[in-house]
Amino acid sequence: MSEHPRTEPATPGATPATAGAAAPATATATVTATATATATGRAHAAEAARRDREDPLAGTRERFVVDAVDDPNGTVYLDGNSLGALPRGVPARMADVIEREWGRDRINSWSDNHWWTAPERIGDRVGALVGAAPGQVVVGDSTSVNVLKAVVAGVRLARGAEGAEQAGADAAQAGGRDEILVDVSTFPTDGYIAESAARLTGCALRAVPAEAVATEATPRTALALVNHVDYRTGRLHDLPGTTAALHAVGAVAVWDLCHSAGALPVDLDAHGVDLAVGCTYKYLNGGPGAPAYLYVAARHQPRFDSPLPGWNSHADPFAMAGAYAPADGAVRGRVGTPDILSMLALESALDAWQGVSVESVRAKSLDLADFFLACVASYVPAGAVETLTPVAHAERGSQVALRCADAGEVTERLLACGVVIDYRRPDVLRFGFTPLYTGYADVERAAWALGEVLSAA
């Protein structure tokens, strides 16, 4: 499908940014196209081929089920920011899980094949990619469920004693922390759940621009929920600075890493982040509906009070006790029985990262986007698109968002040309770059196809 099943409203306050090889680092303006595609021909094709030959990550493409980068009839897949490509090792691993572990070993697999400890084991592997030391990330549930856990538990942490939240009016009268901040352009589900969490904890919810969270937080702020990368525009927000500012007023920082984990260094521990959540089906290539993850900094784990205590997070789950006693460590973030099939598919998918650093992925991501913008400037008719993604590397995730009239129709026409992207209503085309399998020829061909489609419009 050209549009992700979850559709979103336009981002308030989104501003266009200049794209192109020589674009200023902070300017926001209409893309300037130097010439139409029909006038210049494939001016960047040879450069793309050279870059692919010299790419130190070129070999990792073979770890995924994607067409060869030099196949003119193959599909260009630039939608990994919605659903990552299938790692080649996953089908065989899943066949073994189903036929041997489930089929023959059956219930013994919880111990013999280590199913029971999978959430923490795989969590540590995800943690390594987001800068978290072992024992702080647990895999399981959806991002939405983990947002609820993190926000409610985060308010409880900010208020001090475990479970000490009061009704909203009482909290206000006592001068307590009675406010949750959420970035105004957040992914809708985060906003919905933050609103519900505010009701559960007696807080008011206040939406502010992500870049203003640092200055809007006050001693009344319990917590801020911020997206590390804006899902529509690809803007990268200031995680270190915002986290430090929240801590300065005694508030808790919760980060949504859905569009940054596996795309760029996050360094949760180094920046003192309190809580974080994220999905694994985008840049981590875990598969459709793959389980999400929850990060709880080690310093907070003894007081992490989940609003969803389940038998899997009990200190002695098989005692079947009537009273809840939370387990120690990251296990406290679990709820119910792990979704083993999708979890083990994710574990296999993470093998694609063997020998690859997040830093090398980030370097290629930035280079791919720069090259793509240069190609767009050459191939796309002047004034046909605007770049919403910041040009400055420090402010960019791993996607380029272009504002374009008739974005839905353009997306379908690109698909007919063998270029897979997605769009966000009403007018945003999203081109996602997953450096483990995206090549320079892919982005050059995508820009060329976009130019052809818009020239024919």
Side-chain angles (χ1 to χ4, degrees):
M1 295 178 64
S2 60
E3 187 176 9
H4 193 282
R6 297 189 294 183
T7 58
E8 302 84 16
T11 301
T15 55
T18 302
T26 59
T28 57
T30 301
V31 168
T32 301
T34 60
T36 65
T38 54
T40 63
R42 300 286 290 272
H44 297 280
E47 173 67 10
R50 181 191 66 79
R51 290 179 182 229
D52 280 326
R53 287 193 301 271
E54 298 176 358
D55 176 17
L57 291 179
T60 61
R61 187 183 181 100
E62 297 302 316
R63 302 176 185 181
F64 295 87
V65 181
V66 291
D67 293 329
V69 71
D70 57 354
D71 182 355
N73 298 314
T75 297
V76 171
Y77 189 70
L78 299 181
D79 208 4
N81 53 329
S82 280
L83 176 65
L86 171 66
R88 291 189 183 276
V90 171
R93 172 59 179 143
M94 293 314 296
D96 181 58
V97 170
I98 292 170
E99 295 171 9
R100 179 180 61 83
E101 296 187 9
W102 180 14
R104 294 200 295 272
D105 296 347
R106 293 181 286 273
I107 201 167
N108 292 328
S109 284
W110 287 106
S111 56
D112 294 353
N113 292 308
H114 311 293
W115 286 2
W116 187 260
T117 55
E120 294 76 46
R121 180 179 73 247
I122 304 169
D124 283 346
R125 295 186 65 180
V126 172
L129 296 174
V130 294
Q136 299 178 100
V137 176
V138 63
V139 167
D141 303 314
S142 66
T143 306
S144 302
V145 171
N146 285 320
V147 168
L148 180 66
K149 296 179 202 172
V151 174
V152 173
V155 171
R156 292 170 175 173
L157 285 170
R159 286 176 172 169
E162 194 171 90
E165 76 274 359
Q166 301 165 308
D170 292 340
Q173 291 170 5
R177 296 187 179 273
D178 58 358
E179 174 184 77
I180 295 172
L181 299 182
V182 63
D183 73 77
V184 71
S185 60
T186 190
F187 188 79
T189 290
D190 286 19
Y192 306 154
I193 292 175
E195 183 178 7
S196 177
R199 293 196 303 270
L200 289 171
T201 57
C203 286
L205 182 67
R206 186 159 63 97
V208 300
E211 59 272 21
V213 168
T215 56
E216 290 287 335
T218 74
R220 299 194 76 103
T221 304
L223 171 148
L225 170 63
V226 191
N227 284 257
H228 195 194
V229 174
D230 187 291
Y231 73 97
R232 292 188 79 249
T233 67
R235 177 180 290 275
L236 174 64
H237 296 130
D238 181 8
L239 182 148
T242 301
T243 299
L246 288 167
H247 289 172
V249 296
V252 169
V254 180
W255 288 91
D256 183 329
L257 309 179
C258 284
H259 284 272
S260 57
L264 52 91
V266 179
D267 298 327
L268 293 175
D269 287 352
H271 298 309
V273 170
D274 302 294
L275 303 164
V277 302
C279 67
T280 62
Y281 52 79
K282 300 182 189 295
Y283 299 107
L284 298 180
N285 309 294
Y293 57 89
L294 170 68
Y295 164 86
V296 181
R299 66 185 181 279
H300 292 313
Q301 289 176 4
R303 293 198 301 114
F304 181 80
D305 182 14
S306 174
L308 296 173
W311 79 287
N312 259 232
S313 62
H314 196 282
D316 188 2
F318 291 97
M320 303 298 175
Y324 180 72
D328 293 330
V331 178
R332 193 174 290 203
R334 290 169 66 159
V335 182
T337 305
D339 41 348
I340 289 297
L341 295 183
S342 58
M343 195 169 289
L344 296 186
L346 167 63
E347 183 174 37
S348 178
L350 292 173
D351 291 344
W353 283 87
Q354 184 174 357
V356 178
S357 70
V358 176
E359 289 74 18
S360 66
V361 165
R362 175 60 167 168
K364 182 179 176 182
S365 166
L366 293 171
D367 202 42
L368 282 167
D370 288 343
F371 183 61
F372 174 73
L373 290 172
C375 292
V376 168
S378 292
Y379 296 158
V380 174
V385 297
E386 294 175 327
T387 302
L388 300 179
T389 307
V391 175
H393 287 183
E395 299 174 9
R396 186 200 303 166
S398 199
Q399 73 178 45
V400 169
L402 302 178
R403 174 170 286 152
C404 174
D406 301 317
E409 181 181 347
V410 170
T411 301
E412 293 300 324
R413 293 177 68 185
L414 285 173
L415 179 60
C417 297
V419 176
V420 180
I421 65 165
D422 69 9
Y423 76 101
R424 288 293 176 260
R425 299 176 187 175
D427 57 3
V428 177
L429 305 174
R430 300 196 314 170
F431 297 79
F433 307 124
T434 306
L436 292 180
Y437 57 77
T438 303
Y440 292 90
D442 291 326
V443 302
E444 188 274 339
R445 181 178 156 197
W448 168 263
L450 179 62
E452 292 290 280
V453 166
L454 294 177
S455 293

